[in-house]
Amino acid sequence: MSLSGTSHNLNYAAAVLLFLIGIYAVTARPNPVKKVMGLVIMETAVFLFLVSLGLVGGGEARVVTPGFRASTLVNPVPQVIVFIGIVIAAGTVALALSMCVRIYREQDDLDHLRTTGTDGP
Amino acid sequence: MLQVLNLVLILMIVATAVSVVLIRDLLVAAVILSAHGLLMAILWTRLSAPDLALVYVALFVCITTIMFVVVASRTTRKEER
Amino acid sequence: MKKAAIVLLLLGAGLLLLVAVSKMPRMGDSGSPDKTYMVDRYVARGAVEAGDYNVPNDVLLNYRAFDSMGCAVVLFTAFCAVLAILGRAKRGRSHAAIDVSPVSSGMIPMTVVQLLVPVTILFAAYVLFAGHDSFGYSLQAGLLISGTIILITLVFSLLESTKRLRTGVITFLESLSVLAFLVVGLLGIFLQGRFLSFSFPGLHGDAMQAVRLIMMVVIGLGIGIATAVIFTSTLLSLMREEGHELERDIA
């Protein structure tokens, strides 16, 4: 069990760290808006991990110019996956925030979510 | 030289993420989240993904920041301990 | 107590994940686990087969167009759920933006926004059509246009912004991305027998490339416009408030 390999897998280690920060925000903070911010940080970490998988050492722009060599292009497939993931992350954030606003309209209090209805005991 | 730039960017990204979690004022946290998104977008261009950088800036710096600010102004502004 | 337990659990999980990360192949190595044989084909023959010099763009719109359709459908579904939860900002019947008072901002933001908006929309149009040769895609363009409309809403009031958007047109434009994908896909079924195949039978060479380009531009326009309208409507629905609506005429 040695951690000596993380110095040149720096992006992966940073993605793991960001993911743990996001999980802490989702689980240990009472406010739902803060939990949604933690969800955004978790998604950021996953995207960083996915794109760093596709790096080719010395790889450059992935727009094909007339004199290119195929081995120097960065892997485009993780970029496509992350692209779609970003759109879905934004949809998730929109939906979660709309639920927060609606809960606040009904209950006037966001931190303690009541499950027994507005006029129950 | 450019490896140092990647390292500095990653350190700042982790620092902004930690401060988003720890700050209790939701408006300040939303603004710091947009700074986090901007630093991530710079990192995407360092990793040869300029399409991703454009989408990230347009989405997380512009749209979700405004969503968080609107929600923070419509609901509570400070979260409890 | 609960936070201490969470932190301990996260530290343990983090240690395990870091050990796993240290055993992964080196970053930038060509033997990375995600390099399958398909990637070599996309990179080597993408510009010729799919017609775009922008390799991720032709993976998105040609090789993996079905996944892009899934993306458009998910975005539309999330927006439908947002409308079901929050309700739509009605035309001409909303109050001003974030603060409750109906006074809009001062001179400087209004002038700056009036000067900036044409430039931003022009840049969005460039990004929309530049995906063929350089960086750019329809989604970024849609988001730029949506950001512009939100900027106008913030500086001028929400009433002004909703007065200029007709509900019927907005409702149709929101579903444009899914409609574009479905129309082009079904056209592919009728003409060649496969969903989302971008070609007519019996065409070769330049005509085939032109037809393929037109279909990809149609899909791109659909995605761009629909994304713009979806995010604008989401933010307008978030901004509106019940019980404070001013009853005003639209005219």
Side-chain angles (χ1 to χ4, degrees):
Chain A
M1 288 229 328
S2 71
L3 292 177
S4 63
T6 57
S7 63
H8 43 80
N9 284 342
L10 184 66
N11 286 2
Y12 303 147
V16 166
L17 200 57
L18 278 175
F19 195 75
L20 295 174
I21 292 173
I23 292 185
Y24 179 76
V26 169
T27 53
R29 288 302 198 187
N31 196 356
V33 181
K34 188 54 73 79
K35 289 182 203 266
V36 176
M37 287 188 195
L39 195 69
V40 168
I41 296 179
M42 278 166 75
E43 285 163 338
T44 299
V46 171
F47 299 153
L48 177 61
F49 186 80
L50 278 177
V51 172
S52 305
L53 273 182
L55 285 184
V56 172
E60 288 139 15
R62 74 298 170 279
V63 174
V64 172
T65 52
F68 84 108
R69 284 185 300 131
S71 60
T72 65
L73 283 185
V74 176
N75 193 358
V77 174
Q79 293 184 13
V80 168
I81 297 174
V82 167
F83 196 94
I84 297 189
I86 289 179
V87 173
I88 295 183
T92 306
V93 166
L95 190 53
L97 288 180
S98 73
M99 280 199 276
C100 291
V101 167
R102 185 58 193 253
I103 291 175
Y104 189 77
R105 278 184 200 165
E106 304 286 329
Q107 285 186 3
D108 268 342
D109 180 22
L110 201 51
D111 278 337
H112 311 291
L113 302 178
R114 281 188 293 225
T115 53
T116 57
T118 52
D119 48 358
Chain B
M1 179 60 195
L2 298 175
Q3 303 297 332
V4 176
L5 181 60
N6 272 358
L7 181 64
V8 166
L9 272 176
I10 286 180
L11 280 176
M12 286 204 288
I13 284 172
V14 173
T16 46
V18 169
S19 62
V20 161
V21 172
L22 291 181
I23 287 185
R24 296 184 189 283
D25 191 349
L26 287 180
L27 188 61
V28 175
V31 173
I32 296 183
L33 196 68
S34 80
H36 170 87
L38 184 62
L39 290 169
M40 270 311 281
I42 300 178
L43 188 64
W44 292 135
T45 58
R46 292 286 311 140
L47 296 180
S48 312
D51 280 344
L52 285 181
L54 269 176
V55 174
Y56 217 83
V57 164
L59 209 62
F60 282 101
V61 176
C62 178
I63 304 266
T64 72
T65 301
I66 293 190
M67 278 190 204
F68 276 117
V69 165
V70 166
V71 170
S73 76
R74 290 258 177 269
T75 66
T76 59
R77 168 116 178 224
K78 284 190 180 299
E79 58 167 333
E80 293 185 9
R81 178 157 288 281
Chain C
M1 178 55 206
K2 189 171 100 156
K3 285 193 187 177
I6 287 177
V7 169
L8 273 179
L9 264 176
L10 286 181
L11 278 180
L15 209 58
L16 284 175
L17 280 173
L18 280 179
V19 166
V21 155
S22 71
K23 298 225 185 312
M24 282 181 68
R26 206 190 157 108
M27 202 168 67
D29 197 10
S30 291
S32 264
D34 66 324
K35 260 224 174 226
T36 58
Y37 61 96
M38 291 302 292
V39 174
D40 295 327
R41 175 184 172 153
Y42 292 156
V43 162
R45 289 163 57 178
V48 173
E49 274 185 331
D52 257 356
Y53 288 113
N54 185 356
V55 176
N57 204 6
D58 78 357
V59 174
L60 260 172
L61 282 182
N62 200 332
Y63 287 116
R64 303 270 166 100
F66 198 65
D67 299 336
S68 303
M69 188 178 92
C71 168
V73 168
V74 165
L75 193 60
F76 184 65
T77 310
F79 172 65
C80 288
V82 167
L83 276 190
I85 292 179
L86 283 182
R88 199 185 272 280
K90 298 187 184 47
R91 187 174 171 213
R93 278 171 167 245
S94 310
H95 68 96
I98 291 190
D99 50 353
V100 189
S101 72
V103 177
S104 38
S105 0
M107 243 347 212
I108 294 183
M110 287 164 78
T111 315
V112 168
V113 164
Q114 279 173 349
L115 288 176
L116 258 184
V117 164
V119 177
T120 314
I121 294 189
L122 189 63
F123 183 62
Y126 162 71
V127 168
L128 181 67
F129 292 109
H132 177 64
D133 279 324
S134 164
F135 322 121
Y137 182 56
S138 47
L139 203 98
Q140 288 104 321
L143 292 169
L144 279 172
I145 294 182
S146 163
T148 312
I149 299 182
I150 293 306
L151 185 62
I152 298 176
T153 310
L154 284 177
V155 168
F156 305 94
S157 61
L158 189 61
L159 176 67
E160 297 289 323
S161 188
T162 54
K163 255 202 287 193
R164 282 163 172 75
L165 307 169
R166 290 174 201 272
T167 310
V169 173
I170 294 292
T171 312
F172 170 67
L173 285 182
E174 279 154 9
S175 48
L176 204 58
S177 64
V178 185
L179 275 179
F181 265 111
L182 280 179
V183 162
V184 172
L186 290 176
L187 205 62
I189 284 187
F190 288 142
L191 292 175
Q192 212 183 7
R194 271 181 301 177
F195 192 67
L196 280 177
S197 77
F198 290 139
S199 56
F200 282 85
L203 275 185
H204 296 289
D206 278 341
M208 180 177 80
Q209 283 184 9
V211 162
R212 189 173 55 207
L213 192 60
I214 288 177
M215 289 191 178
M216 289 199 332
V217 163
V218 162
I219 289 183
L221 267 178
I223 295 178
I225 296 177
T227 314
V229 178
I230 279 179
F231 280 108
T232 310
S233 295
T234 308
L235 275 159
L236 290 183
S237 297
L238 272 175
M239 279 185 198
R240 84 174 187 120
E241 201 171 283
E242 311 242 326
H244 288 281
E245 285 177 352
L246 310 170
E247 307 281 330
R248 277 195 202 173
D249 294 332
I250 299 177

